[in-house]
Structure formats: structure tokens, C-alpha cells
Amino acid sequence: MKSIVEPLKYEKEILKLLDQRLLPLEEVYMTAKTIEDCYRAIQDMVVRGAPLIGFTGIWGMALFLKNNPKVVQPQFEQAAEYLKSARPTAVNLAYEIDRCVEMAKKETHLSALYPKLVQHALNEMNNSYEKNLAMAKFAEIELQKIYGDRPLNLMTICNTGTLACGVLGTALGVIVHMNQQKKVKEVYASETRPYLQGSRLTSFELIKEGIDHKIVVEGAASYLMKNKMVDAIFAGADRIVENGDTANKVGTSSLSIIAKYYGIPFFIVAPVSSFDLSLKTGDQIEIELRDQNEILKYKDNYIAHPDAKALNPSFDVTDHSCITGILCENGAINPVTVENVRKMAGSR
Ligand code: MRU
């Protein structure tokens, strides 16, 4: 399956990361040669989106072994902790790196793990298309139960497509799939301040897919829903905890609250690797606070007074009571209850 864009590619044993900070105007790849390169690429958001951050984590651990073939287990685990700290909210990073550590525990000599990690990273990425497609098909079934087969107005936030997942995508994958089934009337992409994942990245992908859409500012959500311009909303997830509370890009929670007020179905779409049952409620999720200059400046230019201060939480937590359903590769969680979340998390 040929992707519309490759956010991460491994060519002739070289790892190349598409610099998403420059999209949509420039498509430039940076070469990652070390675990530090991967750490910086994740932290500076050269790569972003929970699944892609996770894949980059595996590559980072592979590069660590490639450059340090004589390391022993404690050093490997130390490197894992370092890489996991690049961004705290998306559980996929820790999940994928912890799996690398588990693989390491089975080796007598860690040098043997390098080719296995490379293969593991390639497999994980290759398998994710089928998983994303399965989520999209479960979403289609949920929508069909509510609306039958009529074309729908769908809304999304942030970027959850190929740029975030390496292939198709989660919430955006649903929209692409629904469009292929000729079941999409209009798409609204929330611009997603301050990093503009919606207007820079989601719109870029929708244009490449040939899907008509409109970018809307965050504050337009209530206008759209009050005027019956949205039939359903799909968002991704960075971490889903035991009661179904879900961390995702800041602004997702307010979207879900407005949707509940107007009675509009609000769905989370995520792989089972996004579940973290070690946390009971969303209050326990660490929310990443990013640099205030992401808000105060656009590129190098101030768009606020140079003396102004800003608070920049990168994520928020959507309460499970505002989520109609959670769609995973192994099925749909609807209603969102502790029992149903546990069952789905146990299916991985
Ligand atoms: O800060 P970002 O761009 O990494 O945030 C991305 C999101 O919040 C996505 O919705 C989430 O990671 C799911 S991506 C399939």
C-alpha cells in the first residue's frame, strides 16, 4: 500500500525523518544517526503523533545498539529511560521502548539485538495499516448504526493521519476510509493551535487524498455544532486510562463537551497500545507543558507583545462521560465503561 507521504523511512540502512515543522510548504528529511537525534526529533516535534513517536522510539533504541555494540543490559535500560523522557504524555513511546527492553532481556549478547530491533520496527510499521483500517471499519459500523448510509459531515482535531502513524491513520484514517466508501459530505479540520497540526498537516494530507475539507478555527466548534453542520467527531489518543478518560491534543476536551451539549457523537480512535491501565483516571496523566514561544511567536516573529507570557499545555483529558465510543483494531468500546476498557486492553 503506497502512502501519500512517508514521515519516517529507512533506506540503505539510513533512518530519515520528515521534518513536520516545515510542512506543508517544504518536504525536507533529516537523517537520524543516534539515539540523541531521535530524542531531539521527538522533543522538537520533527516527528509527532503518538504511534510515530513510538516507532521512532524503537529506531532510537536500535541506533543506540548500532553505535554501542558492546553495551550491557543496565546501559540499555538507562538509554531507554532517557529516550522515554523525550515527551511524557503519549504512552506509545514508553510502550514501544519497554518492549525493546523486554526483547533485550532475552539476549545473552545485546549486539545480536540490533538487527532484530530493525526488523521489529519495520514489522510494527508495516502491520499498522491493517490495524488502522480495522479501526476505520469499526467506525463505519458505529456511524451506520446512527445514520444509516447517508454521506456525513465529519470533524476532527489535530493530525492523526499518515504523518502521525506512518500509514492511513486513526481518526483521520476513519475519514479517509469513509470517503473511499463515498460516505463523506464535508470534513472540518480544526486548526489546532499553537502547532497547527490541523491547518498545516491534516489539510496537507486531505489535499493529497483529494478530499474536500474546510479548516476551522478552534473557537468555531460551537458555531458548527449549533448549526447542525457536524454529524460526528473523531479524535485520536495519546493515552487512554482504565475508566476511559483520554489524553489527546489540547482542545479535544472542549470539543467533546460541546458535542455532548448538542448531542453529537464523539469518538476516540486509537490502537490498543494507547491504553495505560496502570492509571485509574485521567487526573493521573502527566500533561506535557511546552515552550511558551510556540504561542507567542510564529516561526521567529512575535505575534504577541514580546513581554507577554503564555501557558502551553500540549494535551488535555477528555472525560469518559463525553466519549460516545472508542474504536480500536480489535473492536469498539461502546459504552465507555471500566469493564469494556479492561476487556479491550486485555486483547493486545
Ligand atoms: O503534539 P502531537 O502533534 O504529537 O499530538 C498529536 C495528538 O494529539 C494526536 O491526536 C495523537 O497523538 C494521536 S495520533 C494518531
Side-chain angles (χ1 to χ4, degrees), residues 14-308:
I14 308 253
L15 179 64
K16 293 192 173 157
L17 306 172
L18 179 62
D19 190 342
Q20 298 195 25
R21 298 168 305 181
L22 305 178
L23 290 174
L25 302 180
E26 291 175 67
E27 289 186 45
V28 177
Y29 283 87
M30 64 156 271
T31 301
K33 293 187 175 151
T34 63
I35 187 172
E36 289 82 8
D37 289 343
C38 291
Y39 177 94
R40 278 189 295 272
I42 293 169
Q43 189 166 62
D44 297 345
M45 293 172 73
V46 169
V47 289
R48 29 73 44 207
L52 195 72
I53 292 174
F55 299 146
T56 309
I58 308 175
W59 285 108
M61 295 312 295
L63 289 173
F64 177 71
L65 281 183
K66 185 182 185 190
N67 296 328
N68 305 283
K70 296 206 171 111
V71 289
V72 288
Q73 188 72 28
Q75 291 162 305
F76 189 73
E77 287 180 23
Q78 208 177 349
E81 289 309 311
Y82 159 73
L83 194 52
K84 273 164 40 175
S85 70
R87 290 190 81 188
T89 304
V91 71
N92 308 58
L93 180 62
Y95 172 78
E96 295 293 2
I97 294 175
D98 285 343
R99 287 168 87 198
C100 297
V101 171
E102 288 309 310
M103 286 169 74
K105 285 181 185 158
K106 295 187 185 122
E107 299 292 342
T108 325
H109 299 292
L110 281 186
S111 56
L113 187 60
Y114 169 64
K116 292 183 190 168
L117 282 185
V118 168
Q119 198 49 54
H120 175 59
L122 293 171
N123 291 348
E124 284 294 286
M125 291 173 58
N126 289 339
N127 292 341
S128 58
Y129 179 79
E130 287 306 319
K131 291 183 185 173
N132 286 174
L133 186 61
M135 296 170 205
K137 288 183 176 169
F138 286 121
E140 188 183 358
I141 294 169
E142 292 295 302
L143 289 173
Q144 223 231 354
K145 282 189 220 159
I146 307 170
Y147 294 112
D149 282 328
R150 78 166 168 84
L152 300 171
N153 297 324
L154 303 177
M155 184 170 184
T156 191
I157 180 167
C158 196
N159 172 265
T160 57
T162 302
L163 288 166
C165 301
V167 285
L168 189 61
T170 57
L172 195 55
V174 171
I175 289 172
V176 170
H177 171 74
M178 288 294 289
N179 185 65
Q180 282 163 356
Q181 308 309 306
K182 309 221 175 319
K183 291 179 176 174
V184 172
K185 195 165 152 202
E186 183 67 270
V187 175
Y188 294 104
S190 186
E191 70 169 354
T192 320
R193 283 278 292 152
Y195 190 76
L196 303 175
Q197 288 94 331
S199 47
R200 291 191 309 106
L201 308 179
T202 294
S203 175
F204 167 85
E205 288 197 35
L206 289 169
I207 285 169
K208 290 224 175 203
E209 293 281 0
I211 300 177
D212 281 345
H213 61 283
K214 293 194 175 72
I215 298 167
V216 288
V217 298
E218 230 93 279
S222 176
Y223 166 89
L224 292 175
M225 290 190 241
K226 183 174 170 53
N227 288 294
K228 303 192 181 345
M229 294 163 76
V230 177
D231 293 309
I233 299 170
F234 291 92
D238 286 85
R239 198 179 287 250
I240 303 170
V241 301
E242 195 181 39
N243 70 348
D245 289 354
T246 298
N248 192 53
K249 181 51 53 193
V250 67
T252 306
S253 170
S254 32
L255 208 50
S256 77
I257 293 166
I258 300 168
K260 189 173 179 183
Y261 183 82
Y262 287 112
I264 292 161
F266 180 95
F267 293 99
I268 294 292
V269 190
V272 287
S273 56
S274 300
F275 287 87
D276 176 3
L277 264 50
S278 74
L279 304 183
K280 298 233 166 297
T281 77
D283 295 343
Q284 296 168 286
I285 301 175
E286 179 178 350
I287 298 294
E288 175 185 12
L289 291 173
R290 293 188 62 83
D291 195 301
Q292 64 169 358
N293 281 330
E294 288 182 351
I295 292 177
L296 300 177
K297 290 180 170 181
Y298 183 70
K299 300 227 180 261
D300 288 332
N301 301 319
Y302 275 104
I303 51 172
H305 193 287
D307 295 338

Side-chain angles (χ1 to χ4, degrees), residues 6 8-16 29 59 122:
E6 280 184 281
L8 182 158
K9 50 187 178 183
Y10 185 63
E11 282 175 350
K12 299 185 185 141
E13 298 203 19
I14 308 253
L15 179 64
K16 293 192 173 157
Y29 283 87
W59 285 108
L122 293 171

